[in-house]
């Protein structure tokens, strides 16, 4: 640029004055060209000096290397020297430049030391010089050493062999590592596969995704939605006098209802269902175009919803009634057993109808049981389980009371199947002449018109408490259920008696109960106050002042089903009189609903001694989560609730505790199709 400016200046001057060209040329030479000549020459001189210094340093380094090699040869063998030389051949000489270029590993680098720009420049120039030297030597030889090693020196051959050995060793180690990793992954996959349920194998395959839900009901739900909307549009079409559309909707509605039938899954639909859905879709689209009114459709759907809810409530009520009926009635097979045994009993001569050891019936030193039942099979299980688990069966006496319909069957069963050395006696409650309506308030109440209406007109809207079906249990009409309040009258010569329900199973010897000190109480029973629904306020009406003034709503309830009664204290406390008093006060069922537990809680209030819970475990007739250990360690297990063990409603996991005491191979049971 300076030269150009100088020339432009010369041109200007030449234009101005041609006579002064020579002095101007001399001036330009000394001002521009002379410095250029000086700097070029200076650069060439420095380059020569650098090359001389480089050759000198190289000669110096070669001299040092020769001296070091000579010293090493005197200390080590040739093989060791060749190995060291080969190992350092890839890294180059161990000097400061090697550290700066990072040829060594990170552990050799000096932390905190930065390489200057000048050192970088020197290292780069040295590297270029080395590369140029190698290329020059290769050009002189006329070939590269990539493939042809015929003229290699022994040292190079040794280095190449060592490199090949190292590479082979590394490759072998990598293969071993890969094998270890593969083996580890395979073992992990095997462990994971053990946790997969074999019953669903294949479900995770991609081709099975569409078939995961075998019982899909998406089409069924679509058809039900179409039926609902069709009914809505039929009603709207009728109100708007669209008779043709109404008729078409009714035809399609009937077709799709027939196609749907009772199906609950898509697999149960006929092949023509898809065509019916398409046809219904077309008609619904047509109806939507002509009749759709958001407010009107919403009103129709709301009305249908209310109607459906009312139907659900009615069906739930009906279902509750049917479940109560199924739970409280005697199955056909047991009824068959009772009829066959009754016929056989009345064919027996009078002298063969008596049980042995009748002298034990009033012996106060023996263990007496009271069992009131109209179920032959259930009573047999109670007696069999008690005798089989008793240490000395000869000391046990069973007092059975039944009604006149089952009196012959009960006698005949135990005549055919005597309880070993134990004593048994069967009585008919209808032969207790003292138990009449003038003496028993509950018997008088059962004969009233209001009680008959309560039972037989349960759906009447004026009947109090008609919504609660469980209080209309047919057993409440039987005096067998209320006979437990008249034990001293039934057995006047006994001091203690153990009352047992017919839905229990005895699993241990019960003789220890007669030695339990009741501390002056009348009733020995297991308390059931572990949960709130077993408190007094769940059985009694505490809004009535007679109840609220005399009883604690949080008092613990106790279980009927296995109760030790001290009949001496009973007579002193006049327990039967207390029961009659409260029963008369509850004639309008204002104090409690029907049943025997509420009047029992009132009658024995403050007169009940709590027994250990292991004597009596309850809930096997309604609670599916009773602890198995409690059941196995219990002396008596109780199937209280609707799911009695002799019914199809029974819970399967509890039924074996009862069935193992049933003689299913008995010819009477086989003839009535009674089986496990």
């Amino acid at each position: 640029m300076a030269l150009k400016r100088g020339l432009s200046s010369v041109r200007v001057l030449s234009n101005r004055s041609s006579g002064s060209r020579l002095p101007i040329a001399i001036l330009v030479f000394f001002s521009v060209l002379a410095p250029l000549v000086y700097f070029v020459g200076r650069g060439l001189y420095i380059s020569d000096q650098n090359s001389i210094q480089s050759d000198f340093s190289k000669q110096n380094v070669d001299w040092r290397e020769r001296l070091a090699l000579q010293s090493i040869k005197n200390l080590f063998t040739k093989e060791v020297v060749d190995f060291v030389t080969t190992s350092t051949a890839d890294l180059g000489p161990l000097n400061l430049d090697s550290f700066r270029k990072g040829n060594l590993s990170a552990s050799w680098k000096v932390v905190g030391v930065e390489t200057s720009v000048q050192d970088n420049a020197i290292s780069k120039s040295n590297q270029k010089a080395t590369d140029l030297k190698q290329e020059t030597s290769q050009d002189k030889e006329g070939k590269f050493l990539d493939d042809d090693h015929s003229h290699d020196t022994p040292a190079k051959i040794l280095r190449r062999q060592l490199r090949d050995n190292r590479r082979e060793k590394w490759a072998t180690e990598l293969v071993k590592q890969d094998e270890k990793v593969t083996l580890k992954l395979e073992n992990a996959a095997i462990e994971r596969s053990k946790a997969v349920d074999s019953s669903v194998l294949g479900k995770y395959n991609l081709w099975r995704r569409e078939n995961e839900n075998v019982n899909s009901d998406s089409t069924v739900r679509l058809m039900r939605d179409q039926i609902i909307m069709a009914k809505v549009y039929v009603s709207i079409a009728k109100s708007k006098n669209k008779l043709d559309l109404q008729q078409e909707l009714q035809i399609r509605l009937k077709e799709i209802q027939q196609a749907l039938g009772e199906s609950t899954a898509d697999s149960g639909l006929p092949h023509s269902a898809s065509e019916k859905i398409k046809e219904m879709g077309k008609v619904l689209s047509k109806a939507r175009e002509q009749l759709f009114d958001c407010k009107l459709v919403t009103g129709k759907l709301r009305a249908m919803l209310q109607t459906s809810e009312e139907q659900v409530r009615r069906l739930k009520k009906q279902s509750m009634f049917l479940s109560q009926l199924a739970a409280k009635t005697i199955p056909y097979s047991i009824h068959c057993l009772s009829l066959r045994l009754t016929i056989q009993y009345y064919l027996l001569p009078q002298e063969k109808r008596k049980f042995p050891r009748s002298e034990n019936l009033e012996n106060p030193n023996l263990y007496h049981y009271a069992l009131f039942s109209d179920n032959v099979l259930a009573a047999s299980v109670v007696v069999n389980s008690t005798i089989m688990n008793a240490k000395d069966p000869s000391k046990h006496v069973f007092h059975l009371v039944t009604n006149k319909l089952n009196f012959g069957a009960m006698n005949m069963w135990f005549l055919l199947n005597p309880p070993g050395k134990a004593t048994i006696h069967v009585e008919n409650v209808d032969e207790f002449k003292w138990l009449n309506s003038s003496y028993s308030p509950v018997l008088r109440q059962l004969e009233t018109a209001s009680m008959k209406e309560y039972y037989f007109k349960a759906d009447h809207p004026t009947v109090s408490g008609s919504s609660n079906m469980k209080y209309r249990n047919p057993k409440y009409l039987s005096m067998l259920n209320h006979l437990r309040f008249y034990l001293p009258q039934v057995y006047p010569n006994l001091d203690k008696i153990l009352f047992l329900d017919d839905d229990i199973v005895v699993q241990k010897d019960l003789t220890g109960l007669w030695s339990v000190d009741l501390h002056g109480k009348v009733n020995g029973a297991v308390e059931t106050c572990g949960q709130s629904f077993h408190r007094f306020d769940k059985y009694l009406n505490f809004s009535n002042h007679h109840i609220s003034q005399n009883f604690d709503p949080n008092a613990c309830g106790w279980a009927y089903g296995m109760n030790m009664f001290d009949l001496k204290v009973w007579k002193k406390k006049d327990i039967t009189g207390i029961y009659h008093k409260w029963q008369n006060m509850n004639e309008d069922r204002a104090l409690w609903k029907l049943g025997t537990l509420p009047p029992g809680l009132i009658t024995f209030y403050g007169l009940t001694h709590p027994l250990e819970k292991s004597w009596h475990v309850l809930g096997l007739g309604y609670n599916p989560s009773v602890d198995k250990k409690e059941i196995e360690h219990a002396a008596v297990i109780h199937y209280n609730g609707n799911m009695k063990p002799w019914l199809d409603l029974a819970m399967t996991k509890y039924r074996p505790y009862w069935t193992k005491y049933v003689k299913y191979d008995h010819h009477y049971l086989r003839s009535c199709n009674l089986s496990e």
Side-chain angles (χ1 to χ4, degrees):
M1 294 297 295
L3 180 60
K4 290 181 180 180
R5 287 195 298 270
L7 292 176
S8 61
S9 301
V10 172
R11 292 192 189 97
V12 173
L13 292 174
S14 64
N15 291 332
R16 291 181 179 178
S17 176
S18 59
S20 59
R21 292 179 178 174
L22 184 59
I24 292 173
I26 295 172
L27 180 62
V28 169
F29 174 78
F30 284 104
S31 61
V32 177
L33 298 179
L36 290 175
V37 173
Y38 172 76
F39 285 117
V40 170
R42 179 65 176 173
L44 293 175
Y45 176 75
I46 292 173
S47 176
D48 292 338
Q49 291 294 328
N50 289 337
S51 63
I52 293 171
Q53 291 179 1
S54 177
D55 293 338
F56 178 77
S57 62
K58 182 178 180 182
Q59 291 177 1
N60 193 14
V61 171
D62 293 340
W63 174 77
R64 291 177 181 176
E65 288 181 354
R66 288 195 301 271
L67 182 61
L69 290 174
Q70 186 65 33
S71 301
I72 289 172
K73 288 179 180 179
N74 296 330
L75 296 175
F76 302 102
T77 61
K78 183 177 183 302
E79 291 77 4
V80 175
V81 174
D82 292 339
F83 178 78
V84 173
T85 305
T86 305
S87 301
T88 58
D90 296 333
L91 299 175
L94 299 176
N95 53 23
L96 187 58
D97 289 339
S98 299
F99 284 97
R100 289 171 177 170
K101 288 186 289 184
N103 290 335
L104 296 179
S105 63
S107 61
W108 285 77
K109 294 181 181 179
V110 181
V111 179
V113 178
E114 297 182 357
T115 306
S116 62
V117 177
Q118 182 178 0
D119 292 337
N120 289 336
I122 294 172
S123 63
K124 289 179 181 179
S125 62
N126 291 337
Q127 183 66 30
K128 290 180 180 179
T130 304
D131 294 341
L132 180 61
K133 182 178 179 181
Q134 290 177 355
E135 291 176 0
T136 304
S137 62
Q138 289 175 356
D139 290 337
K140 288 181 180 180
E141 293 175 358
K143 60 182 177 180
F144 293 97
L145 300 178
D146 294 336
D147 299 324
D148 189 5
H149 304 287
S150 58
H151 299 286
D152 288 348
T153 61
K156 290 184 178 180
I157 295 173
L158 180 61
R159 287 198 300 271
R160 185 168 63 253
Q161 291 177 352
L162 292 174
R163 282 197 300 269
D164 294 341
N165 292 337
R166 285 201 306 272
R167 290 170 181 170
E168 185 177 356
K169 183 178 180 181
W170 291 343
T172 305
E173 291 178 356
L174 289 175
V175 171
K176 290 181 179 180
Q177 291 178 1
D178 290 341
E179 291 178 351
K180 291 180 180 179
V181 172
T182 303
L183 182 60
K184 186 176 181 181
L185 291 175
E186 289 177 353
N187 293 333
I190 292 172
E191 294 297 326
R192 287 196 301 271
S193 66
K194 293 179 180 179
V196 178
D197 189 0
S198 61
S199 62
V200 294
L201 287 177
K203 187 176 180 180
Y204 306 100
N205 294 338
L206 294 177
W207 64 274
R208 290 290 299 275
R209 282 183 179 175
E210 296 180 356
N211 299 322
E212 284 185 2
N213 190 0
V214 179
N215 297 322
S216 176
D217 61 345
S218 58
T219 307
V220 171
R221 286 186 279 111
L222 174 60
M223 296 174 72
R224 289 173 180 169
D225 292 341
Q226 287 184 334
I227 290 173
I228 293 173
M229 292 307 301
K231 290 180 179 179
V232 171
Y233 284 126
V234 164
S235 178
I236 297 175
K238 183 178 180 180
S239 63
K240 292 188 176 183
N241 202 23
K242 299 283 187 179
L243 301 181
D244 294 339
L245 184 58
Q246 177 188 354
Q247 184 178 4
E248 189 176 1
L249 283 167
Q250 289 176 340
I251 293 173
R252 298 305 177 192
L253 180 60
K254 185 176 181 180
E255 290 178 352
I256 202 165
Q257 285 177 337
Q258 291 177 350
L260 179 60
E262 300 295 331
S263 300
T264 58
D266 295 349
S267 58
L269 295 173
H271 295 291
S272 60
S274 58
E275 294 297 329
K276 304 298 182 184
I277 293 173
K278 292 179 181 179
E279 295 298 329
M280 176 60 83
K282 293 178 182 179
V283 178
L284 288 177
S285 299
K286 182 179 178 181
R288 190 181 300 110
E289 294 175 357
Q290 299 182 18
L291 304 174
F292 183 76
D293 184 345
C294 183
K295 185 177 181 180
L296 190 59
V297 171
T298 303
K300 294 291 183 182
L301 289 173
R302 187 180 294 111
M304 292 177 64
L305 178 61
Q306 292 175 353
T307 304
S308 299
E309 289 178 350
E310 184 63 29
Q311 290 178 352
V312 169
R313 283 194 294 268
R314 186 168 63 253
L315 291 173
K316 285 178 66 177
K317 190 174 181 179
Q318 183 180 3
S319 174
M320 183 184 299
F321 173 77
L322 292 175
S323 64
Q324 292 287 336
L325 183 63
K328 305 308 178 184
T329 54
I330 302 297
Y332 169 78
S333 55
I334 298 179
H335 184 63
C336 166
L337 176 64
S338 180
L339 289 177
R340 289 177 179 270
L341 290 171
T342 301
I343 295 172
Q344 188 67 26
Y345 175 75
Y346 287 107
L347 292 177
L348 286 177
Q350 192 68 31
E351 62 274 10
K352 293 185 178 180
R353 297 181 184 179
K354 296 181 180 180
F355 291 100
R357 295 180 290 275
S358 60
E359 66 276 6
N360 294 332
L361 296 178
E362 296 182 356
N363 187 349
N365 297 322
L366 300 179
Y367 307 119
H368 295 267
Y369 301 86
L371 176 61
F372 308 146
S373 174
D374 59 355
N375 189 327
V376 177
L377 191 62
S380 70
V381 170
V382 175
V383 174
N384 289 343
S385 61
T386 305
I387 296 303
M388 291 176 65
N389 292 285
K391 295 180 180 178
D392 187 1
S394 63
K395 293 184 178 182
H396 296 265
V397 181
F398 293 90
H399 302 268
L400 273 69
V401 181
T402 185
N403 54 25
K404 60 183 178 181
L405 293 177
N406 295 280
F407 178 73
M410 199 75 72
N411 277 279
M412 191 63 199
W413 176 264
F414 288 105
L415 287 171
L416 294 174
N417 305 280
K421 297 181 180 180
T423 304
I424 194 165
H425 179 57
V426 180
E427 296 180 272
N428 182 5
V429 68
D430 296 312
E431 294 180 357
F432 296 162
K433 301 303 180 181
W434 55 267
L435 190 61
N436 50 54
S437 58
S438 61
Y439 174 69
S440 174
V442 67
L443 188 58
R444 183 178 66 253
Q445 292 170 7
L446 291 175
E447 294 176 353
T448 61
S450 61
M451 188 65 71
K452 293 178 180 178
E453 183 182 9
Y454 184 81
Y455 273 101
F456 300 108
K457 295 184 179 180
D459 291 332
H460 197 279
T462 61
V463 177
S464 176
S466 62
S467 61
N468 200 336
M469 301 296 296
K470 72 178 183 178
Y471 295 114
R472 292 180 183 82
N473 193 325
K475 74 178 182 179
Y476 299 148
L477 294 173
S478 173
M479 276 307 297
L480 286 175
N481 194 46
H482 300 274
L483 195 61
R484 64 191 68 188
F485 293 102
Y486 301 97
L487 288 174
Q489 287 76 18
V490 179
Y491 310 109
N493 298 321
L494 298 179
D495 296 334
K496 277 188 175 183
I497 195 166
L498 183 63
F499 173 79
L500 298 176
D501 264 341
D502 62 355
D503 56 351
I504 64 104
V505 173
V506 178
Q507 300 186 127
K508 293 183 179 180
D509 182 44
L510 300 181
T511 56
L513 285 171
W514 275 266
S515 61
V516 173
D517 186 3
L518 298 181
H519 300 282
K521 308 291 185 178
V522 181
N523 175 26
V526 172
E527 291 185 337
T528 57
C529 53
Q531 298 179 1
S532 61
F533 61 85
H534 287 144
R535 304 284 179 172
F536 267 47
D537 61 341
K538 299 303 178 182
Y539 298 100
L540 305 177
N541 180 18
F542 276 86
S543 62
N544 187 289
H545 68 281
H546 294 293
I547 298 296
S548 59
Q549 291 176 1
N550 292 281
F551 305 101
D552 179 9
N554 294 318
C556 289
W558 43 267
Y560 252 136
M562 189 211 71
N563 306 84
M564 176 59 70
F565 291 111
D566 190 330
L567 300 184
K568 288 185 177 181
V569 182
W570 184 308
K571 296 174 185 178
K572 291 180 181 179
K573 300 288 185 181
D574 190 18
I575 298 301
T576 304
I578 297 174
Y579 167 71
H580 284 172
K581 170 191 171 183
W582 286 102
Q583 194 69 48
N584 285 324
M585 294 174 62
N586 192 49
E587 188 168 358
D588 57 352
R589 296 178 302 279
L591 305 183
W592 69 86
K593 301 296 181 181
L594 296 181
T596 55
L597 182 57
L601 296 176
I602 290 177
T603 302
F604 296 100
Y605 183 70
L607 299 173
T608 300
H609 174 73
L611 300 176
E612 293 184 5
K613 293 186 180 297
S614 60
W615 281 112
H616 188 189
V617 172
L618 300 99
L620 277 70
Y622 71 92
N623 185 6
S625 58
V626 181
D627 190 357
K628 185 177 180 180
K629 292 182 179 179
E630 290 185 5
I631 296 175
E632 293 175 350
H633 289 88
V636 171
I637 56 175
H638 195 171
Y639 291 84
N640 56 315
N642 289 336
M643 301 178 183
K644 302 300 183 185
W646 55 82
L647 299 174
D648 293 335
L649 299 174
M651 284 181 275
T652 307
K653 64 178 181 178
Y654 298 148
R655 202 163 184 267
Y657 298 107
W658 186 84
T659 56
K660 69 180 181 179
Y661 295 105
V662 180
K663 300 177 181 179
Y664 285 104
D665 57 345
H666 198 282
H667 66 279
Y668 276 101
L669 271 63
R670 291 200 308 269
S671 64
C672 290
N673 297 322
L674 274 164
S675 61
E676 296 185 53

